[in-house]
Amino acid sequence: MEKSCTLLIHFDKGTPAIANEIKEALEGNDVPAKIDAMKKAIMLLLNGETLPQLFITIVRYVLPSEDHTVQKLLLLYLEIIEKTDTKGRVLPEMILICQNLRNNLQHPNEYIRGVTLRFLCRLNETEIIEPLIPSVLQNLEHRHPFIRRNAILAVMSIYKLPQGEQLLVDAPEMIEKVLSTEQDASAKRNAFLMLFTCAQDRAVSYLLTHVDRVSEWGELLQMVVLELIRKVCRTNRAEKGKYIKIIISLLNAPSTAVIYECAGTLVSLSSAPTAIRAAANTYCQLLLSQSDNNVKLIVLDRLNELKSSHRDIMVDLIMDVLRALASPNLDIRRKTLDIVLELITPRNINEVVLMLKKEVMKTQSGELEKNGEYRQMLIQAIHSCAIKFPEVASTVVHLLMDFLGDSNVASAIDVVVFVREIIETNPKLRVSIITRLLDTFYQIRAARVCSCALWIIGEYCLSLSEVESGIATIKQCLGELPFYSVSEEGEATDASKKTPQANSITVSSRRPAVLADGTYATQSAASETAFSSPTVVQGSLASGNIRSLLLTGDFFLGAVVACTLTKLVLRLQEVQPSKVEVNKATTQALLIFVSMLQLGQSPVLPHPIDNDSNDRIVLCIRLLCDTGDGIRKIWLQSCRQSFVKMLSEKQLRETEELKAKAQVSHAQPDDLIDFYHLKSRKGMSQLELEDEVQDDLKRATGEFVNDNDDANKLNRILQLTGFSDPVYAEAYVTVHHYDIVLDITVINRTKETLQNLCLELATMGDLKLVERPQNYTLAPESSKQIKANIKVSSTETGVIFGNIVYETSNVLERTVVVLNDIHIDIMDYISPAVCTDAAFRTMWAEFEWENKVAVNTVIQDEKEFLNHIIKSTNMKCLTPVSALDDECGFLAANLYAKSVFGEDALVNLSVEKQADGKLSGYIRIRSKTQGIALSLGDKITLKQKGGG
C-alpha cells in the first residue's frame, strides 16, 4: 500500500548498504561515519526497506549526539519511519522520542530548536505532539526570529490536525497577538498565513484594519495578502471593490514578484477597463525591465491572454509590447510578433511597419547569431501587415526586395512570395516592382526564389519596354550559348569566347534521326565524333545566375525559364508592331530551349534531364512554332486567374480561422440582467461602477454561460454495470489536458446496507491512478458520488478497468461486481490545427514514426470518404477545397492536428476509385512519437470499416 511521503531524495540502488554495516557505523564514535550511516539508512527507508533493528541503536547512540548534522538527520529519520501499528495506535517505543523532542525544544542552541519545530510540522500523531505543546508555545516569544517563525508554523500544523482545535483552542487569538507585535518580516508572514489558513475572518479583519499600511509590508507578507484577496473574492464577489483598492496600491511595490501577482489578481477579479489597463501596463513594464528570458516568456503569455479577452485595451499598448524585440532571444521575438500581428489596426499600422522596417535594417548591418532566422520572422510579419492593410505595401516592398539574394534561402523565399502577392493585390505598385525585380534579378542565387521571380516576370511584364527588358534580363542571366562546347578533334573550348559562326560543326555525312518531339532531322557523323568528349562551359557569377543553376542539373528551373520566355514572346506578339523584332525574339527563345535540351541529353552532367522538364520545354518549342488563340489565352490569362483564385481562397481560409477562434456566446432568454442605471451607486468607486457595467455586458451577451456543459454531459456518461446488478454504477469522464477525472455514481439497488464498498481501478497504457481507493458504507437504495483522478503522460489510447467490491451483514464473503472497461479516446487529446505547406513537408521528412493503413471501406465516393476520415480523426484538412473539386477518380489530401502535449500528427490520404466502384489506396500517418501514430492508425482502421 502507498503511504504519504514528505521527503524525496534520489537514490541509486547500484550498491545498497547492508543493515549490519550501518549499525556498526552508528555505534561508533566517528561523527562523519555516523552521518554517512544515517544518510544510508534514510535512503533505504525511502525506498521501501523497513530496518526495524536500527531503531533502538539510533535511540542509544544517535539521540545523545551534539552534532547538528546528526541531529538534523535524526529528525529526517523520525519523519519517515512508521510511528503507528496496523490499527493506527502509536507504537510504545515512540515514548522514547518524546522526551528528546522536548529537550530539543528547550535547547540553548537556536538551530536545534528551529529544526525541531519544523519537524513537528510534519507529525500527524496527536499522542506524540500533545505533551510537546507547552514547549512549542513558549517558543512563540523567543528572542530569535528563526525560532519564532518556525514555532508559528508548528502551531498552524498542530491546529490543522483532526483534533487540533481541541489541543490548541485559542491558537488563532494567540497568533493574532503575535502578529500585532511581531517585527520580523518572515515571522509576520507566517503568522498572517496561519490566520489566513485557520481563521480567515481574523486575517480579513487584520488586513482591513491596516489597509493603509499594506504597501509598507514586506514582500512575503504582501504575497499572502494577495492570495487571501483572491480566496475571499472568489467566495464573495460583491466585496471585491474594497480589495481592488489594495491591489492597485500594491502595483507600485518595489518587488517585481508582488507586482506580477497584483496584475494577475487584478485581471482575475475585475474586467473594468481601468483595472485591465493597469494590469497590462504592469506586464509591459515587467517585460522591459526583466532580463531573465523565462520571465519575459511568462509575461508574454499573460499579455497574450489579455489580448484574447481585452483586445481594445491591448491595442493601445502595441508599441510597448514591440519593444520586447530588443531581446536577442528568438522565442521572445516570435511570441512578441504573434501578439502584435493580432493587435494591428488602421491607427497603428504605420508605426508598427516602421518599427519592423528598422528591425529588418538592423539585421542587415549586424552580424549577430541567427540574424537570418530573425529576418525571416520579420519578413513574414511585414507580409501579414501588408495583406491586411495594402496601403502600407508601398513603404516596405522595395526594402524587402533587397533580400531576394539573401544567403538565408527561407528568408528569400518569404520575400519573393510576398512580392508575388503584393503585385497582384496592389496594381499601382506593379510597374515599380517589375522594374526593381528586373534590376535585382541577377542577385538571386536560390533556385526556388529564381523560379518564383521568373513566374512574376512572365505574368506581370505587360508593356513593350517591360517585355523586352524581361527577355534581355533572362538572356543575360543565361549567358552565351551553347552551355557546353566541343571542337572537331574532341577538345573542349570556351563557348563564351567563340563567335556565333564558330558554333557550327562541319558535317561530313548525313542520316535521318528522330528528335524527342517525334519529328525528323538529319545528323552528321562528324557531330557524333565531336560530341564524344564534351565539356561544360562553367558560367561565372558575371555570366548569369540561371546558367550556374542549370549547370548543376536543375532542369525544373530550365522548364520555368522556358515557360517564362514563352509567355514573354507571346505577349511581345501582342504589343510589338514590328514582325521582325518578334521573329528575332522567337528565334532566340527557341535557340535557348534547344540548348537546354541538348545540355539535358548530353553526358556532361551526372543526371540527364527528367521527363517532366523535357516535356515542358518541348511543349514551349511547339507552342512558339504554332500558336492558336485558345492556347494563347490559357498561357496569358488562365494562369494568372488561377493565382487570383488561390489568393481569394487563402483569404477565405484565414477569415474562417479568425471566426473559429472568436468566442461565440449566446444568452438564455430567462437570464437575469441588472440595469446599471437603476442601481444604487452610493459608496461605489469608479472602478466598481466600471466593473458592474462589464459584468452586465458579459451577462447580456452570454459570456457567463457555458453551452457545452449540459449538451455534452450526457454523451460522456458511460454505463459501468448492468441494470440487474445489485450495485449500479455509471461514470462521467472529464478529460482536461494531463488529467482525467472519473465522476462515478454508485447506487445500492438492494434492501441491505453495503459495508466496506470499494471501487478498485487499474489502468493500461500511459495512465496512472493518483489516489488510493477508499471504503464506503452505502445505505439501502442510496447512492454515492466517488471521484477518481488519473494522470496522463502521452497521447496514447488507454484503458481503465476495475470492479466494485463490498460486504453485507448476511454474507461473510466479499462480493465482486466487474465493471465495463473505459476506453480513453485519443480524440480527447488532439484538436484540428493549421500549418503551412512548407512546414508540413518539413515535418513529414523529419518525423520517424509512420503507420500505413490500407483503405478498406464501403464508401464509394472519394470526397465523402475524406470527410468521414476528417470527422473521425478530429483533424484539419490542409488541402484547399478547389484542389478537391473536380471528379477524376483520384484524391490526395493532407490532414493535420496537434495534441495537448504539443505533438504534431500528420496524415496523408491517397485514394483511387477502382473499376468496380470501390475505393483503394493508403492512409499514412506520421508523428514524432510512436504512441500517436499507432493510436491514430487504430482509430482510422476502426472507423473506416464502419462506413458512414
Side-chain angles (χ1 to χ4, degrees):
M1 294 289 285
E2 294 180 3
K3 58 182 181 179
S4 60
C5 176
T6 55
L7 183 65
L8 285 174
I9 301 173
H10 171 71
F11 176 56
D12 184 7
K13 280 190 171 181
T15 53
I18 301 169
N20 290 337
E21 293 177 1
I22 295 173
K23 190 175 179 183
E24 287 176 13
L26 293 174
E27 289 173 352
N29 294 323
D30 187 3
V31 174
K34 196 172 284 191
I35 291 171
D36 191 49
M38 283 297 293
K39 286 180 179 178
K40 287 177 181 176
I42 292 168
M43 297 280 196
L44 289 171
L45 284 167
L46 284 173
N47 283 273
E49 302 289 338
T50 51
L51 305 179
Q53 68 272 31
L54 283 185
F55 182 78
I56 296 301
T57 304
I58 287 173
V59 169
R60 287 181 62 192
Y61 295 101
V62 178
L63 271 183
S65 174
E66 291 294 323
D67 186 80
H68 290 181
T69 307
V70 172
Q71 285 297 318
K72 175 68 177 176
L73 290 169
L74 171 64
L75 293 174
L76 292 177
Y77 169 80
L78 295 176
E79 184 179 321
I80 60 176
I81 61 170
E82 286 289 345
K83 303 172 194 67
T84 56
D85 57 18
T86 53
K87 295 182 180 178
R89 291 176 300 203
V90 174
L91 295 170
E93 55 263 33
M94 288 299 127
I95 302 300
L96 300 171
I97 304 298
C98 282
Q99 184 58 43
N100 179 66
L101 293 175
R102 188 186 291 110
N103 293 340
N104 280 358
L105 290 173
Q106 296 168 355
H107 199 280
N109 184 274
E110 290 87 356
Y111 175 77
I112 298 294
R113 282 201 193 199
V115 293
T116 307
L117 286 165
R118 180 59 67 93
F119 163 71
L120 294 181
C121 296
R122 296 182 175 88
L123 273 185
N124 297 320
E125 290 72 29
T126 310
E127 292 88 340
I128 300 175
I129 289 173
E130 192 172 4
L132 304 176
I133 289 176
S135 301
V136 172
L137 296 179
Q138 284 177 8
N139 283 309
L140 287 173
E141 298 174 358
H142 194 276
R143 58 182 178 77
H144 202 286
F146 175 70
I147 294 173
R148 293 200 302 274
R149 71 178 73 132
N150 284 301
I152 293 167
L153 290 176
V155 169
M156 180 173 74
S157 301
I158 295 168
Y159 192 77
K160 285 164 70 177
L161 291 173
Q163 295 88 23
E165 293 186 25
Q166 286 80 32
L167 294 175
L168 285 169
V169 181
D170 56 347
E173 186 180 345
M174 201 182 309
I175 296 299
E176 192 173 14
K177 288 179 182 175
V178 170
L179 180 60
S180 59
T181 58
E182 183 60 64
Q183 298 300 316
D184 180 68
S186 185
K188 203 167 186 175
R189 174 257 181 198
N190 290 352
F192 191 81
L193 180 64
M194 189 274 172
L195 294 180
F196 164 45
T197 309
C198 306
Q200 188 173 303
D201 293 341
R202 289 180 183 270
V204 170
S205 173
Y206 180 82
L207 174 62
L208 296 177
T209 307
H210 301 84
V211 69
D212 296 330
R213 299 180 59 194
V214 173
S215 56
E216 301 170 9
W217 290 350
E219 175 188 348
L220 296 172
L221 185 53
Q222 287 175 344
M223 296 287 273
V224 181
V225 165
L226 290 170
E227 197 176 337
L228 172 67
I229 290 171
R230 278 198 294 270
K231 187 177 179 184
V232 170
C233 292
R234 273 195 216 105
T235 53
N236 188 2
R237 292 187 69 85
E239 293 187 4
K240 65 182 178 183
K242 53 189 173 187
Y243 294 110
I244 284 176
K245 294 172 188 173
I246 299 174
I247 297 170
I248 290 176
S249 70
L250 286 177
L251 283 174
N252 298 319
S255 166
T256 51
V258 172
I259 293 171
Y260 175 78
E261 286 297 326
C262 275
T265 306
L266 206 54
V267 171
S268 65
L269 297 184
S270 174
S271 53
T274 306
I276 300 300
R277 193 171 288 110
N281 277 320
T282 303
Y283 285 140
C284 288
Q285 288 169 14
L286 288 171
L287 185 63
L288 300 174
S289 62
Q290 296 302 301
S291 57
D292 191 319
N293 288 340
N294 293 317
V295 173
K296 285 178 183 284
L297 287 169
I298 292 168
V299 171
L300 283 168
D301 283 337
R302 300 292 83 77
L303 287 170
N304 195 31
E305 289 167 8
L306 279 184
K307 176 206 70 185
S308 304
S309 51
H310 303 280
R311 184 178 183 276
D312 294 342
I313 293 168
M314 285 298 297
V315 163
D316 297 333
L317 298 169
I318 189 168
M319 296 311 293
D320 291 328
V321 177
L322 260 179
R323 288 166 66 190
L325 291 176
S327 169
N329 184 278
L330 276 183
D331 291 327
I332 293 171
R333 287 169 161 175
R334 186 178 292 108
K335 199 166 275 195
T336 302
L337 289 172
D338 288 343
I339 293 171
V340 165
L341 289 178
E342 292 187 36
L343 297 175
I344 295 171
T345 63
R347 284 191 297 121
N348 59 30
I349 182 65
N350 290 324
E351 286 181 285
V352 171
V353 169
L354 184 64
M355 178 82 168
L356 295 177
K357 279 173 64 179
K358 287 180 181 175
E359 289 296 315
V360 170
M361 283 161 31
K362 283 181 191 174
T363 64
Q364 198 174 8
S365 57
E367 290 298 327
L368 296 174
E369 190 182 358
K370 295 187 178 177
N371 251 0
E373 199 173 336
Y374 178 42
R375 189 184 308 127
Q376 185 184 354
M377 286 162 46
L378 291 170
I379 289 166
Q380 289 170 350
I382 292 172
H383 185 173
S384 180
C385 293
I387 298 306
K388 288 180 184 175
F389 300 94
E391 62 273 11
V392 302
S394 59
T395 62
V396 293
V397 68
H398 296 299
L399 170 70
L400 294 186
M401 287 178 76
D402 289 337
F403 297 102
L404 283 172
D406 197 345
S407 56
N408 183 350
V409 178
S411 175
I413 290 171
D414 285 333
V415 172
V416 79
V417 169
F418 168 64
V419 171
R420 186 182 66 180
E421 196 164 341
I422 292 302
I423 201 170
E424 175 57 43
T425 53
N426 291 280
K428 294 178 182 176
L429 298 175
R430 187 191 64 79
V431 176
S432 61
I433 289 176
I434 283 294
T435 306
R436 186 66 181 272
L437 182 59
L438 293 173
D439 289 342
T440 56
F441 185 81
Y442 71 93
Q443 298 175 354
I444 300 173
R445 289 286 171 265
R448 288 179 62 190
V449 181
C450 217
S451 300
C452 192
L454 285 167
W455 185 89
I456 296 170
I457 292 169
E459 288 296 331
Y460 295 97
C461 286
L462 303 180
S463 67
L464 176 60
S465 60
E466 289 169 352
V467 171
E468 289 176 342
S469 298
I471 294 172
T473 301
I474 293 171
K475 283 175 61 182
Q476 182 187 354
C477 291
L478 281 168
E480 292 190 21
L481 300 178
F483 295 107
Y484 67 94
S485 178
V486 290
S487 66
E488 288 185 27
E489 292 79 15
E491 296 176 357
T493 58
D494 190 346
S496 61
K497 294 179 182 177
K498 290 172 73 174
T499 61
Q501 288 77 13
N503 288 338
S504 60
I505 299 174
T506 305
V507 178
S508 58
S509 63
R510 298 174 182 272
R511 66 183 180 193
V514 181
L515 297 182
D517 60 350
T519 58
Y520 287 97
T522 54
Q523 187 175 22
S524 69
S527 65
E528 286 182 339
T529 307
F531 283 116
S532 60
S533 57
T535 306
V536 172
V537 179
Q538 296 291 343
S540 63
L541 290 178
S543 67
N545 50 350
I546 301 179
R547 185 188 190 92
S548 304
L549 293 167
L550 275 177
L551 294 179
T552 61
D554 190 346
F555 286 102
F556 174 78
L557 178 62
V560 174
V561 170
C563 292
T564 304
L565 280 173
T566 302
K567 288 179 186 176
L568 290 174
V569 171
L570 290 177
R571 192 162 284 120
L572 187 66
Q573 292 172 3
E574 293 181 350
V575 297
Q576 172 62 270
S578 172
K579 294 295 180 185
V580 176
E581 292 296 328
V582 172
N583 291 337
K584 183 181 176 184
T586 306
T587 308
Q588 290 172 341
L590 288 170
L591 181 61
I592 290 169
F593 301 165
V594 172
S595 298
M596 287 194 290
L597 288 175
Q598 283 183 338
L599 177 65
Q601 292 165 2
S602 70
V604 293
L605 296 180
H607 302 290
I609 185 170
D610 58 283
N611 291 334
D612 289 340
S613 300
N614 186 81
D615 293 346
R616 193 74 171 160
I617 297 172
V618 170
L619 176 66
C620 292
I621 293 173
R622 286 180 173 175
L623 187 61
L624 289 185
C625 292
D626 182 19
T627 308
D629 291 337
I631 298 292
R632 184 186 295 275
K633 183 180 178 184
I634 290 170
W635 280 71
L636 296 183
Q637 295 178 24
S638 300
C639 187
R640 187 165 167 187
Q641 287 167 0
S642 298
F643 178 59
V644 171
K645 188 177 178 183
M646 186 191 87
L647 288 181
S648 60
E649 283 180 354
K650 178 187 171 188
Q651 195 170 3
L652 185 65
R653 278 203 308 272
E654 288 173 355
T655 308
E656 286 174 356
E657 285 165 22
L658 287 173
K659 283 181 182 176
K661 284 182 184 176
Q663 296 178 350
V664 180
S665 303
H666 302 287
Q668 297 299 319
D670 57 346
D671 282 353
L672 177 67
I673 297 177
D674 293 327
F675 288 94
Y676 164 68
H677 293 288
L678 302 180
K679 275 190 170 184
S680 169
R681 304 188 191 183
K682 189 174 180 182
M684 292 178 76
S685 66
Q686 180 61 32
L687 196 61
E688 289 173 272
L689 291 172
E690 286 182 18
D691 229 8
E692 289 288 338
V693 175
Q694 293 297 318
D695 286 352
D696 288 345
L697 283 172
K698 285 183 180 178
R699 201 174 284 111
T701 55
E703 201 168 318
F704 288 153
V705 181
N706 191 351
D707 296 332
N708 296 329
D709 286 354
D710 299 325
N712 290 337
K713 208 160 190 177
L714 290 174
N715 297 333
R716 290 191 168 276
I717 292 177
L718 302 172
Q719 185 179 334
L720 299 181
T721 63
F723 291 115
S724 59
D725 287 321
V727 176
Y728 175 75
E730 62 182 24
Y732 172 61
V733 183
T734 307
V735 178
H736 182 70
H737 289 202
Y738 298 91
D739 300 299
I740 298 172
V741 180
L742 300 181
D743 200 345
I744 301 169
T745 304
V746 180
I747 303 173
N748 179 5
R749 303 186 65 209
T750 67
K751 302 289 185 183
E752 299 177 339
T753 300
L754 305 182
Q755 299 171 349
N756 293 330
L757 184 142
C758 179
L759 175 71
E760 297 177 345
L761 294 175
T763 60
M764 190 169 68
D766 283 344
L767 306 174
K768 187 169 190 252
L769 280 168
V770 176
E771 302 155 325
R772 288 202 308 262
Q774 294 183 1
N775 291 343
Y776 302 95
T777 300
L778 213 55
E781 297 183 348
S782 65
S783 63
K784 181 76 180 172
Q785 295 288 122
I786 301 173
K787 283 199 180 222
N789 290 318
I790 293 164
K791 285 282 178 190
V792 187
S793 56
S794 76
T795 312
E796 190 173 334
T797 302
V799 181
I800 303 168
F801 52 92
N803 47 52
I804 292 175
V805 184
Y806 63 89
E807 299 171 353
T808 58
S809 54
N810 299 336
V811 183
L812 295 176
E813 292 182 0
R814 304 192 80 185
T815 307
V816 178
V817 179
V818 179
L819 305 178
N820 285 337
D821 294 347
I822 301 172
H823 291 267
I824 301 302
D825 198 346
I826 186 177
M827 295 304 103
D828 292 321
Y829 304 119
I830 70 171
S831 55
V834 179
C835 72
T836 62
D837 290 341
F840 186 92
R841 283 194 295 271
T842 304
M843 288 188 284
W844 187 267
E846 289 175 356
F847 289 174
E848 54 194 22
W849 289 102
E850 178 174 306
N851 192 0
K852 194 173 182 180
V853 180
V855 172
N856 180 14
T857 180
V858 296
I859 301 173
Q860 295 192 350
D861 183 73
E862 307 97 307
K863 289 178 196 167
E864 185 185 342
F865 180 66
L866 172 64
N867 292 330
H868 175 64
I869 294 295
I870 290 170
K871 185 179 177 183
S872 303
T873 57
N874 195 27
M875 300 186 85
K876 173 82 175 172
C877 182
L878 300 181
T879 308
V881 180
S882 60
L884 306 170
D885 274 351
D886 298 328
E887 296 288 341
C888 63
F890 297 91
L891 187 144
N894 292 333
L895 313 181
Y896 178 63
K898 223 171 170 54
S899 77
V900 295
F901 305 101
E903 300 164 323
D904 299 289
L906 313 178
V907 170
N908 172 260
L909 182 144
S910 301
V911 291
E912 176 188 0
K913 197 163 191 173
Q914 300 292 330
D916 58 0
K918 291 184 178 179
L919 296 180
S920 68
Y922 291 97
I923 301 168
R924 295 163 70 195
I925 305 143
R926 284 200 185 182
S927 70
K928 197 173 268 187
T929 56
Q930 184 184 20
I932 196 167
L934 293 176
S935 301
L936 206 51
D938 294 341
K939 183 77 177 177
I940 290 172
T941 304
L942 183 70
K943 286 288 184 180
Q944 69 167 344
K945 287 180 180 176

